[in-house]
Amino acid sequence: MKSAIRISALLWADILVLYALFEMQDYLTEIWGLSFTHAAGILNIWNGISRVLQPLFLFAASTFLGNFGMLVISSSSYTLGIWFLFMSAPPVLANATGTCKQYEQECIGNTHKALLYTGMALIAVGVAGNNVSVQSFLKEQDNKSWGPFIERLKLPGLFMVVIVAVAGAIALPYIKPWTYRFGIPAVCTTIAGISFLTGLCCCKFTLPEPDKKRIENMGRMISLRMLPMWLTFLVCGIISSTGNTYFVEQAKKLDRHLGSWEVPTQVLLLAQTYVGMLLAELAHVIFKGHGVVMAKMLGVLCCIAAAGTERKRLGVVRSKGLLDKPEEDVPMSVYWLLFQFVLLGAVEKLLEKSVAEFDEEDIPLREGNEADPNELKRRCMEIFSKGVSGLGFMCGVLLVFVVGKISAEGDEPNWFQFSLNRSHLDRYYWVLATLSAASLFLYVVMRRCCCC
């Protein structure tokens, strides 16, 4: 039972870091002075790497490292990364670097940039490793003697996940200095990592035996029959790349008041996670067996909602004369963004649930040493789908560059200016809606062709 709690603590620390990093778009634009597209590009490359690494880490954990070895690496990398991020804040090393302590662009030197980029790279390794091995390692502890205890821990564990998420969404944003916003998750991650490493005597772990057939089965993820699935997750990755970047940028200067309470922006992430999950569950039950199609349709609706909301925001900006005043608040409720955040959360959750639609005919497995070949198949599909969606995050950066170049042909201004108020993000959302609709059509056609 103690081992299950120690392992679960890694997951709780992950959630707190997720909410702490949700406003990194603001940090890079306001403190570093980057354009919103430059900041979004950095974050999407980082998110993409954390996902692309997951299939590689699954291969390592399944063939020679084991889940235990992977968690030792990922928890150590995670802890070191978040501390590097903490040290990248201007006040921390101001005396050592000879720079100022204010949260201003002039106080950001090469040392701060190197620390932040290195920290984010290490966090990407930690995120990937934890996503691959935390749940699997927990299952390895589920033997006959501990099974009843772990079953009893599931409900409290879920409750703890919600508590940490609510704390990250509501309490953490009220801590204004970025040193504390990075420092508190760093302390929590360190405690979780030390707790895990010092509890090794309580854990049950084994190293995987070399198995050629297991490797062959993982290689079957890359096949012609799986092409519709990979294209699905690639396009959905491009759409998901807007969540922590452009959606956050839209929300930055909108009115967040709910009565007299100024609601933190992280509440939108809370709604995306849990309300989106409920919507995905509902769609999965009603349209069982057609989850991928429904996810793509919700993706189209998400982009349309985002385009409509941004068009409305730009209308308010123009009417109030705020085009060249990006620091001024926009008199429009932030809750207009709830639709696109919730729909995006539903798309991501519904796709995770729908990987089971790709059955044994799509991935014929060979008998190996696995106790449950179908469990290996399910795990491979989940992790590989995240890897492909990670490529989508990176492709989103390229797509913004290409769309910007095309939009600037002739005498027309580029859709992506330095500030959001001068940009046409609504038109980019319409491009994403069209791309998602086209991928839905291709998915239906290719599934029919590949199944024939």
Side-chain angles (χ1 to χ4, degrees):
M1 182 174 68
K2 290 181 179 180
S3 65
I5 296 175
R6 292 173 186 269
I7 299 167
S8 298
L10 297 176
L11 178 61
W12 302 335
D14 285 0
I15 295 171
L16 191 60
V17 172
L18 171 67
Y19 280 89
L21 298 184
F22 182 67
E23 288 192 317
M24 279 298 291
Q25 177 79 14
D26 289 353
Y27 182 76
L28 293 176
T29 53
E30 293 182 0
I31 309 304
W32 280 36
L34 303 180
S35 69
F36 77 97
T37 50
H38 189 177
I42 292 173
L43 294 178
N44 284 333
I45 293 295
W46 169 67
N47 272 306
I49 291 173
S50 71
R51 291 168 179 255
V52 169
L53 286 176
Q54 292 185 36
L56 301 177
F57 286 0
L58 175 63
F59 175 81
S62 301
T63 54
F64 59 91
L65 267 181
N67 291 313
F68 163 72
M70 180 54 64
L71 285 179
V72 170
I73 294 173
S74 65
S75 61
S76 302
S77 178
Y78 216 139
T79 301
L80 190 60
I82 192 65
W83 278 111
F84 273 33
L85 200 62
F86 165 75
M87 289 188 292
S88 72
V92 178
L93 297 179
N95 293 332
T97 57
T99 55
C100 51
K101 297 183 179 182
Q102 288 72 32
Y103 291 101
E104 297 176 358
Q105 183 180 355
E106 294 75 16
C107 301
I108 303 295
N110 292 330
T111 302
H112 300 97
K113 294 178 181 179
L115 285 170
L116 185 134
Y117 290 138
T118 304
M120 293 186 73
L122 289 170
I123 292 173
V125 172
V127 169
N130 284 1
N131 283 343
V132 166
S133 293
V134 166
Q135 296 294 340
S136 298
F137 194 51
L138 270 172
K139 290 179 180 179
E140 291 180 9
Q141 314 309 309
D142 193 6
N143 57 28
K144 292 182 179 179
S145 60
W146 291 355
F149 292 102
I150 292 179
E151 286 298 322
R152 293 174 190 170
L153 279 173
K154 286 184 178 179
L155 187 57
L158 180 61
F159 180 73
M160 190 64 187
V161 166
V162 175
I163 290 295
V164 173
V166 170
I170 296 178
L172 197 60
Y174 286 102
I175 303 172
K176 294 301 181 183
W178 286 98
T179 47
Y180 294 134
R181 287 197 190 186
F182 295 150
I184 292 174
V187 171
C188 294
T189 304
T190 302
I191 293 172
I194 292 174
S195 175
F196 170 69
L197 293 175
T198 55
L200 298 181
C201 59
C202 304
C203 296
K204 171 188 174 184
F205 58 89
T206 57
L207 292 177
E209 298 178 3
D211 185 3
K212 182 179 179 181
K213 292 181 180 178
R214 179 191 287 122
I215 299 174
E216 290 177 359
N217 286 337
M218 294 177 66
R220 290 173 186 269
M221 296 290 106
I222 308 172
S223 66
L224 182 61
R225 285 182 175 272
M226 295 303 296
L227 187 58
M229 179 180 180
W230 301 144
L231 287 177
T232 294
F233 284 97
L234 183 70
V235 174
C236 288
I238 295 175
I239 295 173
S240 295
S241 70
T242 60
N244 278 19
T245 53
Y246 301 124
F247 285 10
V248 174
E249 190 69 24
Q250 284 179 274
K252 187 162 63 174
K253 294 300 179 181
L254 296 184
D255 181 14
R256 293 184 280 116
H257 283 90
L258 187 63
S260 59
W261 180 35
E262 188 175 10
V263 179
T265 308
Q266 281 85 342
V267 169
L268 293 171
L269 178 58
L270 202 64
Q272 176 183 332
T273 303
Y274 294 103
V275 181
M277 184 188 302
L278 291 176
L279 182 58
E281 289 285 353
L282 183 62
H284 185 67
V285 171
I286 297 175
F287 303 99
K288 193 170 184 179
H290 303 283
V292 174
V293 173
M294 284 305 304
K296 283 183 165 291
M297 292 179 67
L298 289 176
V300 174
L301 292 176
C302 174
C303 295
I304 292 174
T309 303
E310 178 60 13
R311 186 175 181 84
K312 179 179 176 63
R313 193 193 69 83
L314 287 174
V316 174
V317 166
R318 292 190 186 98
S319 66
K320 300 297 181 180
L322 301 176
L323 282 175
D324 296 313
K325 300 176 182 178
E327 298 303 319
E328 295 290 328
D329 292 337
V330 179
M332 171 181 163
S333 175
V334 75
Y335 304 110
W336 283 100
L337 299 178
L338 274 174
F339 298 102
Q340 63 200 64
F341 271 97
V342 170
L343 286 170
L344 182 61
V347 169
E348 295 171 346
K349 293 297 180 182
L350 191 55
L351 281 176
E352 289 179 11
K353 287 181 166 294
S354 301
V355 292
E357 292 180 15
F358 297 84
D359 53 24
E360 288 81 0
E361 294 180 358
D362 296 303
I363 316 174
L365 297 181
R366 298 182 62 182
E367 293 295 328
N369 293 337
E370 294 87 8
D372 186 359
N374 287 327
E375 175 63 22
L376 173 67
K377 168 197 159 185
R378 183 195 61 77
R379 188 182 179 207
C380 284
M381 291 176 69
E382 286 181 355
I383 299 300
F384 272 70
S385 63
K386 289 181 180 178
V388 176
S389 72
L391 291 176
F393 274 76
M394 297 180 184
C395 288
V397 179
L398 179 61
L399 182 63
V400 167
F401 175 78
V402 171
V403 169
K405 286 293 185 182
I406 294 175
S407 67
E409 290 184 353
D411 296 329
E412 294 295 322
N414 192 312
W415 288 358
F416 302 98
Q417 299 295 316
F418 188 87
S419 70
L420 187 63
N421 289 354
R422 279 288 180 182
S423 301
H424 284 286
L425 195 58
D426 56 328
R427 298 176 184 176
Y428 176 64
Y429 287 143
W430 280 113
V431 171
L432 292 183
T434 305
L435 181 63
S436 185
S439 73
L440 172 58
F441 174 77
L442 285 175
Y443 171 79
V444 173
V445 171
M446 293 181 69
R447 279 290 286 176
R448 289 185 178 274
C449 293
C450 290
C451 292
C452 291

